């Protein structure tokens, strides 16, 4: 089974509390999602491959390390995953970006795909899928199914809040995918929203409710 990491660093937990608060408005919410994503990206990229290079400092030659190869592609799941993109690109500005469009049918809570555009060299890259909410897990599982048809080198999933149901669905469907979340919450409600969660991430990021 893939590795599951709950990134419970104090800075992330503090920002997550502000994010969950219903009195936090869209401007602050967006900034917090980006900051948390940047901090989580540090953890999710811990095992990136390095190669040795030789450079000249002002003092001498030095053998030192750079990240090797084409490395990363970030794939946010629209819409809410877009809120995480700025934060991770701050850390890895050379990464390529793909997009997967998907929304949950309000009656069934099943994902409805509407868009997929991935970098042409994705088979040479490690993919990190971005979506702040892992509720039933349906969206993440379907998005990763789509991405796997392009055979990337590896896939990780980075979310902010997961429900136990979603984590179970994702790790069962994709045991090869490492999962990074900032919190594992209690449960889903009758409408498949995460409790206590933070409400509808897309609406809070984009101010659509
Ligand atoms: C939210 C969220 C995930 C999905 C999680 O998206 O951003 O993509 O729900 O739920 P699941 O794990 O049960 O699939 P939503 O469908 O609300 O679309 P939006 O981001 O466009 O608002
Ligand atoms: N999508 C959200 O944005 N929030 C939830 O709690 C569940 C799905």
């Amino acid at each position: 089974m893939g590795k599951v990491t709950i990134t419970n660093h104090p800075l992330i937990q503090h920002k997550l509390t502000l994010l969950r608060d219903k009195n936090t408005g869209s401007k602050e919410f967006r900034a917090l999602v980006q900051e948390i994503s940047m901090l989580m990206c540090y953890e999710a990229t811990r095992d990136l491959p390095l190669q040795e290079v030789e450079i000249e400092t002002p003092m001498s030659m030095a053998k030192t390390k750079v990240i090797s190869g084409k490395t990363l592609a970030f794939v946010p799941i629209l819409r809410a995953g877009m809120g995480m993109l700025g934060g991770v690109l701050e850390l890895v500005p050379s990464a390529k970006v793909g997009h997967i469009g998907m929304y949950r049918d309000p009656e069934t809570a099943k994902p409805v795909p509407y868009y997929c555009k991935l970098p042409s060299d994705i088979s040479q890259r490690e993919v990190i899928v971005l979506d702040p909410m892992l509720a039933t897990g349906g969206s993440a599982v379907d998005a990763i199914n789509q991405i796997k048809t392009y055979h990337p080198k590896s896939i990780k999933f980075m979310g902010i809040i997961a429900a136990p149901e979603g984590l179970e669905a994702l790790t069962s469907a994709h045991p090869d995918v490492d999962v990074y979340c900032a919190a594992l919450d209690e449960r889903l409600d009758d409408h498949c929203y995460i409790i206590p969660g933070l409400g509808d991430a897309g609406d809070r990021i984009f101010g659509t409710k």
Side-chain angles (χ1 to χ4, degrees):
M1 193 174 91
K3 189 172 56 151
V4 175
T5 304
I6 308 295
T7 50
N8 54 3
H9 187 286
L11 288 174
I12 295 179
Q13 296 307 302
H14 182 88
K15 289 177 192 297
L16 186 55
T17 298
L18 301 173
L19 195 68
R20 288 182 190 276
D21 191 327
K22 69 174 190 181
N23 296 314
T24 299
S26 280
K27 181 166 179 265
E28 193 187 353
F29 191 92
R30 270 197 297 274
L32 287 163
V33 168
Q34 293 217 9
E35 289 163 13
I36 292 169
S37 305
M38 191 194 302
L39 293 166
M40 293 184 67
C41 186
Y42 179 80
E43 191 57 39
T45 52
R46 184 175 282 284
D47 59 357
L48 278 183
L50 292 168
Q51 70 184 58
E52 194 170 83
V53 292
E54 192 166 42
I55 52 131
E56 198 173 352
T57 78
M59 309 305 289
S60 72
M61 297 304 290
K63 286 200 165 85
T64 182
K65 303 253 169 75
V66 291
I67 292 169
S68 76
K70 294 205 165 167
T71 67
L72 285 181
F74 293 116
V75 180
I77 301 178
L78 308 180
R79 292 176 301 163
M82 282 302 289
M84 301 174 73
L85 186 61
V88 297
L89 284 177
E90 282 282 319
L91 280 196
V92 194
S94 62
K96 291 206 175 168
V97 179
H99 296 85
I100 291 195
M102 194 166 266
Y103 68 89
R104 289 200 317 179
D105 181 307
E107 299 299 320
T108 64
K110 297 266 181 280
V112 182
Y114 60 86
Y115 188 72
C116 178
K117 179 81 179 172
L118 299 173
S120 55
D121 62 357
I122 197 159
S123 64
Q124 298 169 57
R125 291 181 179 266
E126 316 216 10
V127 168
I128 301 184
V129 178
L130 307 172
D131 193 329
M133 308 306 279
L134 184 64
T136 66
S139 303
V141 168
D142 269 28
I144 292 171
N145 281 338
Q146 286 191 51
I147 294 166
K148 278 188 172 174
T149 65
Y150 296 85
H151 306 293
K153 281 163 74 178
S154 69
I155 303 177
K156 292 175 178 166
F157 176 85
M158 201 172 110
I160 295 182
I161 301 182
E165 295 89 332
L167 191 59
E168 167 63 25
L170 178 55
T171 53
S172 305
H174 296 294
D176 52 326
V177 170
D178 290 347
V179 179
Y180 297 83
C181 290
L184 181 58
D185 274 11
E186 284 165 26
R187 62 184 172 89
L188 296 177
D189 74 2
D190 294 344
H191 303 284
C192 295
Y193 274 79
I194 300 175
I195 304 296
L198 50 69
D200 189 303
D203 284 342
R204 293 195 66 185
I205 291 168
F206 298 110
T208 38
K209 211 167 231 171

